[in-house]
Amino acid sequence: FFVDWMTAQAENGRLQRLELVVDGTTIASKVNIVSGRRAFCFKIACSSDWHHYSPGQLLEIENINKFHESDKVLEMDSCADPHHPMIDRLWSGRRPIQSLLLSTERIGSQAALASYPLVRWAAQKIRRLRKPR
């Protein structure tokens, strides 16, 4: 699936690949997908042999530099988890994102929406119980 999707993005001119190469060996790699004037980042893959040099962080710095040099992309989303240790050090700006749940007029939809807070609370409790202490 991933290879097919990346191939389709490349054929449509939306794939942006970055690699950090040392002596002909790729030690870090990442892809971004560009949609209009926005780019969306994906997870960085790094060689464990080079982890002491933080190749992923070095590649992300290059990614940010390329973004600032470009006049085609106006916004870039790191797509990283909130409070990600590396991204928080490199990306100072944050855009708030809000999720909205809307119901249709159907009774099942209304019941699902009404029960969502309870289901979310229960899921959090279950996750806490499963965490090793």
Side-chain angles (χ1 to χ4, degrees), residues 14-119:
R14 290 185 280 214
L15 181 68
Q16 189 179 63
R17 289 185 60 216
L18 289 95
E19 293 182 327
L20 181 58
V21 179
V22 175
D23 293 332
T25 302
T26 300
I27 63 168
S29 178
K30 75 173 289 173
V31 294
N32 299 326
I33 300 299
V34 178
S35 177
R37 306 282 283 177
R38 292 189 175 113
F40 301 89
C41 302
F42 281 86
K43 184 172 175 60
I44 300 169
C46 302
S47 169
S48 59
D49 295 339
W50 291 80
H51 76 276
H52 293 301
Y53 299 99
S54 303
Q57 188 166 344
L58 294 171
L59 187 58
E60 190 58 33
I61 291 168
E62 182 62 17
N63 182 50
I64 294 167
N65 289 337
K66 290 218 178 279
F67 164 71
H68 287 293
E69 292 169 1
S70 171
D71 60 349
K72 294 179 180 153
V73 177
L74 297 178
E75 296 179 356
M76 182 175 275
D77 188 335
S78 70
C79 297
D81 289 335
H83 312 297
H84 187 281
M86 179 191 64
I87 294 299
D88 281 354
R89 285 193 305 265
L90 299 178
W91 293 58
S92 60
R94 290 284 186 254
R95 181 192 317 155
I97 296 177
Q98 182 176 8
S99 296
L100 299 175
L101 298 175
L102 304 172
S103 146
T104 65
E105 294 296 319
R106 301 174 78 182
I107 191 74
S109 174
Q110 292 173 0
L113 184 60
S115 65
Y116 180 76
L118 177 62
V119 171

